[in-house]
């Protein structure tokens, strides 16, 4: 009789945490709109990750270890709140040591999540594809944390300027971490259907593409184009999988929310493909500001926040064993 009560409690806590996070993030957006806070669009989109995306997505994945500090950080929701608040404060300070130290608190959370991902990867290896997806996502977030700290420190790694440095942090929190979590959840629901083999291959693009794209910026435009194509194929494949879950398994509000998330990511990927095709011949079809406003918003709010709410309402019951 105790097990069902525990499940309901965890789901309720995750849903409440999502609502509180959205409320706080929305208040930050409103304060920025009225010039009470001075934050730009990229900073606002990034802050959606610590306040809403990361704690909500982790609530959907099975915990791997209870060892300190990994299990402790994962289980204590107040830690995410404190780290998110300090991270927000870092954007209210000029770039430098103080801002980097404040952002470093979020990086420590990311590092603990990544250590949990390494533990998951070493435990399951290639035996469970959903667990592999979760592990890759958890490792990606540490990369995003590093780029966040470099951004707030005012550093320009490899000569990159803002907003590219912060956009890289955004990339690894959303395209890296969140997409990998969604890939694991999607495969877990469809793994016993006739979609198993093609979905397995396509989702590898969603998993490996973000990392390859990050590396490609340091190597060549040709590799960047290949990486973007891989990301687009992987994300569109993920969107098709989520759309099928929306149409055949999910019900009510969760079905609608998952369908909206799938539509959003396809639209975002079309825009990303246009940007990449323009970047390679150095004849841009769109500029970075449009990428932030269109691709960034669709990916973070449409695919990220709406999709996460859809998964939380769907309340996955058949997660792989932890």
């Amino acid at each position: 009789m105790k097990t069902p009560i525990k499940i309901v409690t965890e789901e309720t806590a995750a849903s409440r945490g999502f609502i509180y996070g959205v409320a706080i993030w929305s208040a930050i957006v409103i304060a920025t709109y009225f010039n009470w806070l001075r934050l730009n669009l990229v900073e606002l989109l990034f802050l959606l990750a610590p306040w809403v995306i990361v704690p909500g997505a982790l609530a959907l994945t099975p915990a791997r270890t209870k060892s300190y500090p990994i299990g402790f950080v994962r289980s204590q929701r107040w830690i995410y709140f404190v780290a998110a608040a300090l991270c927000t404060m870092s954007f209210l300070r000029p770039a430098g040591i103080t801002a980097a130290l404040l952002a470093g608190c979020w990086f420590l959370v990311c590092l603990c999540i990544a250590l949990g991902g390494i533990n998951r990867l070493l435990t399951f290896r290639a035996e469970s594809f959903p667990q592999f997806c979760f592990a890759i996502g958890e490792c990606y977030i540490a990369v995003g944390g590093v780029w966040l700290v470099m951004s707030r420190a005012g550093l320009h790694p490899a000569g990159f300027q803002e907003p590219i440095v912060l956009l890289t942090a955004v990339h690894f929190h959303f395209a890296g971490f969140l997409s990998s979590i969604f890939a694991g959840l999607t495969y877990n629901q469809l793994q016993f259907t006739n979609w198993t083999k093609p979905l397995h291959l396509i989702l590898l693009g969603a998993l490996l593409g973000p990392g390859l794209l990050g590396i490609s910026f340091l190597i060549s435009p040709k590799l960047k184009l290949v990486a973007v194509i891989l990301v687009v194929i992987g994300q569109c494949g993920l969107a098709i999988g989520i759309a099928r879950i929306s149409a055949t398994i999910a019900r009510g509000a969760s079905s609608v929310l998952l369908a909206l998330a799938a539509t959003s990511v396809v639209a975002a990927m079309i825009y990303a493909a246009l940007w990449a095709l323009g970047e390679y011949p150095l004849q841009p079809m769109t500029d970075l500001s449009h990428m932030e406003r269109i691709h960034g918003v669709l990916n973070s709010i449409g695919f990220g926040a709406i999709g996460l709410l859809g998964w939380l309402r769907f309340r996955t019951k058949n997660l792989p064993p932890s």
Side-chain angles (χ1 to χ4, degrees), residues 29-43:
V29 172
I30 293 171
T32 301
Y33 178 80
F34 287 105
N35 291 321
W36 299 334
L37 297 176
R38 294 187 178 277
L39 298 171
N40 61 42
L41 179 60
V42 179
E43 292 167 344

Side-chain angles (χ1 to χ4, degrees), residues 40 42-43 46 143-144 146-148 150-152 155-172 213-214 216-218 224 275 279 287-289 291-292:
N40 61 42
V42 179
E43 292 167 344
F46 176 83
V143 181
V146 170
W147 282 85
L148 168 68
M150 290 192 292
S151 172
R152 298 316 306 136
L155 300 179
H156 306 292
F160 291 118
Q161 304 292 319
E162 293 291 0
I164 296 297
V165 182
L166 184 56
L167 280 172
T168 304
V170 175
H171 170 76
F172 281 105
L213 181 59
S216 69
F217 274 83
L218 302 172
K224 186 196 298 185
W275 170 76
E279 283 277 296
D287 57 31
L288 193 59
S289 63
M291 280 291 290
E292 294 170 8

